[in-house]
Amino acid sequence: MSTAAADNPLLNDFYFPPFDAIQADHVRPGIRALLKNLESELVELERTVEPTWPKLVEPLEKITDRLAVVWGAVNHLKAVKDTPELRSAIEEVQPEKVEFELKLGQSKPLYNAFKDIKESSNWDALSEAQKRIVESQIKEAILNGVSLEDDKRDQFNKIEQELAKLSQKFEENVLDATKKFEKLIVDKQQVEGLPATALGMAAQTALSKGHENATAENGPWLITLDVPSFMAVMQHARNRALREEVYRAYVSRASSGDLDNTSIIDQILKLRLEKAKLLGYENYAEVSMATKMATVDKAEELLESLRSASWNAAVQDMEDVKQFCQTQATPEANDLNHWDITFWSERLRESRYDINEEELRPYFSLPKVMDGLFNLAKMLFGIVVEPADGLASVWNKDVKFYSVKDSSGSPIAYFYFDPFSRPSEKRGGAWMDEVVARSRVFSRDAASPRLPVAHMVCNQMPPVGDKPSLMTFREVETVFHEFGHALQHMLTKQDEGLVAGIRGIEWDAVELPSQFMENWCYHRDTLMNIAKHYETGETLPEDVYRKLLAARTFRAGLLSLRQILPAPPLAATSAVSAPLRQDLDRPPPRPLRDLPQGEDHTAATSGEDIFATCFVYPGQRKAPVKPVTTSSMALRSACVDLELHSKYVPCGSESIYDVDQRVSKRTQLIPPLQEDRFLCSFSHIFAGGYAAGYYSYKWAEVLSADAFSAFEDAGLNDEKAVKETGHRFRETILALGGGKAPLEVFVEFRGREPSPEALLRHNGLLPVSTSA
């Protein structure tokens, strides 16, 4: 290795990435040198390959893992510490990286060797995880174009290169458009209604932009489209004109000027359709479903069932808001628009349940929430989470590093936690991603496997002044959600690296542990352990907890149809750019996935007929799915996603906005504004891994609710029973990773196939268990 190469942190052998040392000027030489080395290894593997595990799978894992780890570190920095220089460097080397991945994915010697393994007499001797790896590699090779010849393969490869470039540009435009909007306010009357936390954040933002002497009390205040700022305005600003201005800016992000994503979307959809046709599919949705549990038809049936189940309830919800506005003698009572619904729904909720979300913030300080979350994990899964700051380098002073230990005190995993919004450099939303995965192939002592490491990223309000970060209840749920993903990555006991943790799990099943963890936010002992006033130490009053439970199903219909803004969108997942990577929620998607929120229901229709045909595992009998939605997925978004990827004809008679308007007639009570361009910031499907897959959040919810019901059945107040059930959950859902089919894993935990009963009960359609 040359001196220059030795000085490049990307080329060093690391376990924890040197995030404090990686600079933009390391990317070009580092990635190119890495690709050169990996290409040599691939050539050697193709020359010597044999249809055996040591001669095929293990060397393949070494190649793919090294690229995933190094590229993952670079791409992670782009997501949390974006700079023009880093963007430029990544943009320049990305085509070379994609070219190598195509060579790898289209390698006929490797493809033939995997087929030989499956057809060999030793097939039955392989473990279930090993069989899943072989079958997945064969399927992925076909989807990567291994069967295409000559001109068709060249065309396929050009499409893949262009799609990678377009997706990157799409996400950059969303980030830049979000940063571009700033609304400076100097008149205190203009910010009437905004809570103290929002005013403090707006003043702090103004200070950071050079407005000296800005204070929460006297301003000036700087409003942005960053999620905490945007949602504060939509929920609490009494200034209707301000709400309208901010709303219009938000739904039209990245749709004009140099940042316009319209043509990028058109090109992406056109190329995806061409790719599908080359692979022998009718549309891109079929390509997407090839690696999922659902089919296009079943996903559409699910969404239509949800839509029809939500409609009448949404109509009633809207009528309730209108009637409440009329009692308040507000001038917009008979002319409610998009920028009014969230505001007045929040006032109605406060009136009906006597809960003010902002007044609850002091009870949810980030340190207390994390302590409570870690105590819950200890009780459920027998693990201990401890600060390990200083053990690994970080990219920002606010990032925390943790060690996860088993009951004997031995480390079993590590994770980074980056909690706060930084709109000038960090993409929006919340997500979990892997740094490295558990793997015996990468054992450092030839005895124990390499331990997994995760990222957990959120975008909540940072500390203001001497106050800690004070969280909304939705932000608490978000932290629990992302930690659920991290747990599945970190607590895996799967030693085959290609299916360890979150790797290899079907996309529409991967939300099970994350949505499962959200349920604990409504568990009394868990919540009371978290909800301590940051100044007085007072526990959340019992009557307030009861009100939170009562408000859990408030506004179900409107939330389902996304006629109000319940919570900000999650960050889009990065494109799964290497065979091993899954960036979860994660943009949803962390992708855009929406932030999790309490489950909602509608009484528009009763349960069983909704489940009849939607939730089908290939090769399995039908199982149920949740009838109504939480805010984690808007039906409009999911329906548009499937429509664009299954029926839309690029360059045809309809534009993408025509499709959105048409779908919205079925899914929205108030039609979108003509200038609504939410598609231009829909990063989940245009810059992430959720294309024709946004329905996945609903698909997984039946599993997560039924999994939680196992704890309810055991008795949530019976600590011994809860611990026993938690141990079983850990040994199945969290331990088996992608090495076993999701339905089989669920049955191993639950003792039966999924049932809708828990979802119906959680949604208020069945009596709530007295132990809940």
Side-chain angles (χ1 to χ4, degrees):
M1 183 181 294
S2 68
T3 303
D7 292 339
N8 192 319
L10 294 177
L11 297 177
N12 295 334
D13 182 22
F14 57 77
Y15 177 46
F16 302 128
F19 287 117
D20 59 344
I22 299 173
Q23 301 295 324
D25 57 8
H26 293 135
V27 172
R28 292 178 181 86
I31 295 298
R32 282 170 174 153
L34 174 66
L35 291 173
K36 183 178 180 180
N37 292 337
L38 294 180
E39 188 152 357
S40 296
E41 292 178 23
L42 175 59
V43 170
E44 179 64 15
L45 174 58
E46 288 180 325
R47 187 182 68 82
T48 62
V49 67
E50 297 176 11
T52 66
W53 216 256
K55 291 288 189 177
L56 170 61
V57 184
E58 291 179 7
L60 175 63
E61 182 182 340
K62 290 178 180 179
I63 292 172
T64 55
D65 188 277
R66 181 62 179 162
L67 178 57
V69 169
V70 176
W71 184 260
V74 170
N75 224 36
H76 175 72
L77 284 175
K78 182 175 179 292
V80 296
K81 197 173 182 179
D82 187 39
T83 66
E85 294 78 16
L86 184 58
R87 281 189 189 186
S88 176
I90 290 175
E91 182 178 348
E92 188 172 320
V93 297
Q94 181 171 267
E96 299 164 46
K97 175 247 187 189
V98 173
E99 181 180 358
F100 171 74
E101 288 177 335
L102 288 168
K103 288 180 181 177
L104 183 63
Q106 295 171 353
S107 170
K108 288 197 173 181
L110 303 190
Y111 172 63
N112 290 330
F114 274 113
K115 288 199 300 181
D116 288 344
I117 288 180
K118 187 171 183 180
E119 295 166 3
S120 74
S121 59
N122 295 325
W123 175 249
D124 290 338
L126 296 182
S127 68
E128 189 170 4
Q130 290 174 327
K131 289 180 179 178
R132 289 258 296 176
I133 289 171
V134 172
E135 290 170 341
S136 175
Q137 289 293 324
I138 292 171
K139 180 184 291 185
E140 289 293 342
I142 293 171
L143 293 176
N144 282 327
V146 71
S147 300
L148 300 178
E149 300 293 342
D150 303 328
D151 292 347
K152 287 188 176 181
R153 180 183 290 198
D154 291 342
Q155 183 183 356
F156 181 93
N157 291 349
K158 288 178 182 178
I159 288 172
E160 290 292 86
Q161 286 283 9
E162 187 64 17
L163 283 173
K165 183 170 71 173
L166 290 169
S167 292
Q168 178 175 311
K169 182 60 176 174
F170 183 99
E171 186 60 31
E172 289 173 356
N173 285 349
V174 174
L175 177 60
D176 290 347
T178 302
K179 290 194 298 184
K180 186 176 181 180
F181 178 90
E182 293 181 353
K183 173 75 173 178
L184 186 67
I185 300 176
V186 296
D187 183 352
K188 192 169 187 176
Q189 287 186 331
Q190 299 298 305
V191 294
E192 182 183 357
L194 290 183
T197 51
L199 292 173
M201 180 182 63
Q204 191 164 280
T205 304
L207 278 172
S208 71
K209 296 291 185 176
H211 298 279
E212 298 180 2
N213 303 317
T215 65
E217 178 66 22
N218 299 312
W221 304 274
L222 194 64
I223 304 299
T224 71
L225 296 184
D226 192 43
V227 163
S229 179
F230 167 72
M231 285 304 298
V233 171
M234 298 313 300
Q235 287 183 307
H236 301 292
R238 294 197 171 275
N239 183 343
R240 191 188 190 203
L242 176 62
R243 296 200 307 267
E244 178 179 356
E245 180 181 357
V246 172
Y247 179 86
R248 288 182 183 275
Y250 192 83
V251 299
S252 61
R253 285 177 301 157
S255 65
S256 63
D258 295 339
L259 302 178
D260 191 350
N261 273 336
T262 303
S263 63
I264 292 177
I265 295 173
D266 286 333
Q267 292 176 68
I268 287 174
L269 292 173
K270 180 176 179 291
L271 290 171
R272 284 176 177 169
L273 181 59
E274 290 180 14
K275 173 181 173 178
K277 296 289 188 181
L278 283 172
L279 293 174
Y281 293 93
E282 286 298 313
N283 53 64
Y284 186 79
E286 291 182 356
V287 176
S288 174
M289 300 295 180
T291 53
K292 295 181 173 65
M293 299 165 70
T295 64
V296 176
D297 288 345
K298 296 306 175 185
E300 289 177 338
E301 287 176 28
L302 166 63
L303 295 178
E304 175 54 27
S305 295
L306 296 175
R307 188 203 66 80
S308 60
S310 303
W311 188 265
N312 289 346
V315 171
Q316 184 60 55
D317 287 346
M318 184 70 78
E319 185 61 28
D320 289 346
V321 174
K322 289 180 179 178
Q323 290 180 4
F324 179 76
C325 286
Q326 289 169 353
T327 66
Q328 304 301 303
T330 175
E332 64 258 32
N334 296 316
D335 184 32
L336 289 178
N337 216 313
H338 295 279
W339 44 87
D340 302 316
I341 305 300
T342 301
F343 175 81
W344 286 110
S345 291
E346 191 68 17
R347 306 290 79 76
L348 174 58
R349 187 174 71 90
E350 292 170 357
S351 172
R352 182 174 293 179
Y353 300 103
D354 193 24
I355 292 179
N356 183 309
E357 189 173 78
E358 286 297 319
E359 292 176 0
L360 294 181
R361 278 189 189 266
Y363 288 96
F364 297 117
S365 66
L366 179 61
K368 288 292 186 184
V369 168
M370 299 308 291
D371 286 345
L373 177 58
F374 297 158
N375 287 335
L376 174 66
K378 181 178 182 180
M379 189 264 289
L380 291 178
F381 309 125
I383 60 173
V384 176
V385 181
E386 295 180 349
D389 293 321
L391 182 60
S393 67
V394 296
W395 53 92
N396 183 279
K397 62 180 179 59
D398 292 327
V399 176
K400 302 297 182 184
F401 189 71
Y402 293 95
S403 169
V404 180
K405 299 181 178 179
D406 61 18
S407 56
S408 69
S410 300
I412 56 175
Y414 303 91
F415 71 97
Y416 303 81
F417 181 41
D418 185 352
F420 306 132
S421 169
R422 296 189 300 275
S424 63
E425 64 178 11
K426 182 180 177 183
R427 84 185 191 199
W431 66 93
M432 172 268 166
D433 198 3
E434 67 173 43
V435 181
V436 300
R438 181 181 172 100
S439 172
R440 64 174 177 80
V441 169
F442 287 92
S443 171
R444 290 177 176 258
D445 59 9
S448 54
R450 179 182 67 183
L451 299 181
V453 184
H455 294 306
M456 220 173 93
V457 184
C458 295
N459 262 288
Q460 66 197 54
M461 187 178 294
V464 176
D466 58 356
K467 295 181 180 179
S469 174
L470 302 178
M471 305 168 67
T472 65
F473 187 67
R474 295 185 183 111
E475 288 172 337
V476 174
E477 290 179 299
T478 299
V479 169
F480 273 61
H481 180 102
E482 300 307 335
F483 192 61
H485 282 308
L487 285 171
Q488 190 171 38
H489 175 66
M490 296 188 295
L491 300 191
T492 186
K493 292 189 176 180
Q494 178 58 254
D495 289 341
E496 293 292 346
L498 291 172
V499 288
I502 60 175
R503 295 177 175 182
I505 298 177
E506 281 78 350
W507 198 269
D508 39 10
V510 79
E511 295 295 329
L512 193 168
S514 55
Q515 293 173 340
F516 163 81
M517 287 300 294
E518 291 179 44
N519 286 281
W520 292 99
C521 296
Y522 290 92
H523 176 230
R524 184 188 180 282
D525 290 349
T526 299
L527 188 64
M528 293 306 192
N529 191 31
I530 288 172
K532 307 285 185 181
H533 197 284
Y534 81 100
E535 289 179 315
T536 67
E538 173 194 5
T539 301
L540 186 75
E542 181 70 25
D543 65 319
V544 177
Y545 167 66
R546 293 295 171 188
K547 292 171 184 175
L548 274 175
L549 285 184
R552 190 178 186 183
T553 58
F554 178 56
R555 304 177 301 185
L558 290 178
L559 286 168
S560 177
L561 300 182
R562 183 44 58 82
Q563 196 67 71
I564 58 174
L565 296 166
L570 280 176
T573 57
S574 303
V576 183
S577 52
L580 302 184
R581 296 199 68 77
Q582 286 196 48
D583 175 9
L584 296 178
D585 291 339
R586 101 183 145 250
R590 56 75 15 217
L592 275 173
R593 189 185 112 64
D594 300 323
L595 285 176
Q597 183 176 300
E599 295 185 19
D600 302 288
H601 80 281
T602 175
T605 185
S606 60
E608 292 300 331
D609 52 335
I610 298 174
F611 300 126
T613 59
C614 298
F615 202 75
V616 179
Y617 299 87
Q620 302 288 341
R621 71 174 179 82
K622 295 171 183 176
V625 73
K626 186 173 183 177
V628 196
T629 186
T630 71
S631 65
S632 62
M633 184 197 74
L635 291 178
R636 171 192 174 188
S637 303
C639 291
V640 169
D641 171 33
L642 276 184
E643 184 84 10
L644 289 175
H645 288 104
S646 62
K647 299 181 179 66
Y648 175 67
V649 179
C651 305
S653 59
E654 279 190 313
S655 72
I656 55 172
Y657 305 122
D658 292 333
V659 173
D660 182 31
Q661 290 288 334
R662 175 165 52 78
V663 169
S664 295
K665 289 179 180 178
R666 297 188 296 110
T667 59
Q668 301 280 273
L669 298 181
I670 302 178
L673 302 176
Q674 283 300 315
E675 66 266 37
D676 186 328
R677 297 291 185 264
F678 100 94
L679 288 172
C680 287
S681 58
F682 198 178
S683 298
H684 267 82
I685 68 170
F686 295 120
Y690 280 85
Y694 198 61
Y695 76 92
S696 295
Y697 293 98
K698 306 317 307 171
W699 195 264
E701 278 191 81
V702 68
L703 304 175
S704 61
D706 200 5
F708 185 74
S709 75
F711 291 82
E712 295 174 320
D713 293 347
L716 289 173
N717 295 323
D718 185 339
E719 185 170 328
K720 180 175 181 293
V722 167
K723 286 182 176 180
E724 290 174 351
T725 310
H727 175 76
R728 194 165 72 250
F729 186 91
R730 176 181 173 179
E731 294 301 308
T732 52
I733 306 297
L734 301 181
L736 297 177
K740 195 168 189 174
L743 180 60
E744 295 176 19
V745 174
F746 183 89
V747 170
E748 188 170 332
F749 165 66
R750 198 68 176 95
R752 57 165 173 75
E753 293 188 4
S755 164
E757 189 273 339
L759 281 168
L760 292 169
R761 176 161 42 81
H762 293 167
N763 286 327
L765 300 178
L766 291 175
V768 177
S769 168
T770 56
S771 65

